[in-house]
């Protein structure tokens, strides 16, 4: 396992709309190590989601190179990108995206169905324990608080045993205390499981609790701050 799990050079993502070019990302260099939690800050429209989508292999760069877990993803086809994502990446979304008629356990197991992998009750119980929800396994999403729903979404991302966890505004729908508990959980997962974790946030309160904060403006990195305290 290489220490550097994500390496991007000169990443650009341009959108062409008629005669107009939107430079959503305009030359980003980034290197992320295993066990590191990094926040991406910046005003609305600065390119945070665009960057996260590239690092999630959900979108392809207009220009630049991107290595994920030792593999170059530039120029790969849709099918090949799916292969890179499989097992390497876990996703957490702002809206949680839980299915209302499935229990907590069933929601957590969903990615395994998409990957046509067998479910394993012990593994499901293990990831629920990791996010502190062992006592909610048979509950429905509507019986949970917002913070608990986000924990289910995190457990669902963890079930595939990813090396990289990517979260776009994971605290966006949460109050300060609940958001802080989610960041604390992410930090624990990075330190304990060696996951590389990337989160975007509007909120500097959350953004400055990670190992490193990267600030985007107009598609470029304008600030990079090392926040890691000696552990
Ligand atoms: N599909 C698209 N077509 C054209 N322009 C786009 C598209 N997606 C994003 N953009 C533009 O790219 C820029 C960056 O968008 P992005 O969604 O990455 O911003 P963001 O930092 O995530 O903002 P927010 O904080 O509001 O979520 C914006 O100017 C946006 O309008
Ligand atoms: Mg966004």
């Amino acid at each position: 396992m290489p220490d550097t799990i994500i390496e991007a050079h000169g990443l650009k993502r341009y959108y062409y709309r008629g005669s107009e070019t939107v430079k959503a990302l305009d030359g980003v260099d980034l290197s992320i190590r295993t066990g590191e939690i990094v926040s991406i800050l910046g005003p609305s429209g600065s390119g945070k989601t665009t960057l996260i989508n590239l690092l999630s292999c959900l979108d392809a760069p207009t220009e630049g190179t991107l290595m994920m877990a030792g593999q170059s993803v530039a120029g790969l086809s849709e099918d090949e990108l799916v292969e890179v994502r499989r097992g390497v990446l876990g996703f957490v979304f702002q809206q949680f995206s839980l299915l209302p008629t499935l229990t907590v356990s069933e929601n957590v197991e969903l990615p395994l169905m998409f990957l046509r992998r067998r479910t394993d009750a012990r593994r499901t119980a293990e990831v629920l324990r990791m996010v502190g929800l062992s006592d909610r396994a048979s509950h429905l999403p509507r019986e949970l608080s917002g913070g608990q729903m986000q924990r289910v979404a995190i457990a669902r991302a963890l079930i595939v045993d990813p090396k990289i966890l990517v979260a776009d505004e994971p605290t966006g729908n949460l109050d300060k205390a609940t958001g802080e508990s989610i960041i604390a959980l992410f930090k624990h997962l990075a330190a304990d499981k060696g996951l590389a974790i990337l989160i975007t946030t509007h909120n500097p309160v959350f953004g400055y609790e990670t190992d490193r904060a990267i600030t985007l403006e107009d598609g470029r990195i304008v600030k990079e701050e090392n926040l890691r305290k000696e552990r």
Side-chain angles (χ1 to χ4, degrees), residues 15-67:
Y15 293 105
Y16 302 99
R17 317 206 62 194
S19 60
E20 188 200 356
T21 302
V22 178
K23 298 180 175 179
L25 221 56
D26 200 18
V28 163
D29 298 318
L30 194 61
S31 164
I32 301 194
R33 295 185 300 276
T34 54
E36 188 178 32
I37 171 163
V38 176
S39 48
I40 300 165
L41 292 154
S44 184
S46 58
K48 301 183 298 296
T49 296
T50 305
L51 177 59
I52 278 280
N53 285 346
L54 292 181
L55 299 179
S56 311
C57 304
L58 294 171
D59 187 22
T62 308
E63 229 177 86
T65 60
L66 177 57
M67 300 282 291

Side-chain angles (χ1 to χ4, degrees), residues 2-20:
D3 194 36
T4 298
I5 187 122
I6 299 177
E7 183 123 43
H9 288 292
L11 267 196
K12 294 185 181 175
R13 179 63 166 102
Y14 289 0
Y15 293 105
Y16 302 99
R17 317 206 62 194
S19 60
E20 188 200 356

Side-chain angles (χ1 to χ4, degrees), residues 48-50 168-169 200 202:
K48 301 183 298 296
T49 296
T50 305
D168 198 7
E169 298 281 349
T200 69
H202 274 97

Side-chain angles (χ1 to χ4, degrees), residues 13-122:
R13 179 63 166 102
Y14 289 0
Y15 293 105
Y16 302 99
R17 317 206 62 194
S19 60
E20 188 200 356
T21 302
V22 178
K23 298 180 175 179
L25 221 56
D26 200 18
V28 163
D29 298 318
L30 194 61
S31 164
I32 301 194
R33 295 185 300 276
T34 54
E36 188 178 32
I37 171 163
V38 176
S39 48
I40 300 165
L41 292 154
S44 184
S46 58
K48 301 183 298 296
T49 296
T50 305
L51 177 59
I52 278 280
N53 285 346
L54 292 181
L55 299 179
S56 311
C57 304
L58 294 171
D59 187 22
T62 308
E63 229 177 86
T65 60
L66 177 57
M67 300 282 291
M68 304 279 297
Q71 199 178 348
S72 171
V73 300
L76 294 188
S77 68
E78 269 302 308
D79 287 351
E80 288 167 329
L81 284 177
V82 170
E83 275 309 310
V84 175
R85 285 204 295 271
R86 195 184 292 255
V88 173
L89 280 161
F91 306 96
V92 178
F93 307 99
Q94 177 177 356
Q95 312 293 347
F96 318 142
S97 313
L98 304 179
L99 294 187
T101 56
L102 298 185
T103 66
V104 163
S105 284
E106 289 163 347
N107 268 287
V108 167
E109 289 167 347
L110 270 181
L112 298 176
M113 311 235 222
F114 289 122
L115 295 173
R116 294 176 204 284
R117 283 198 211 156
R118 210 188 294 260
T119 60
D120 172 355
R122 267 179 316 179

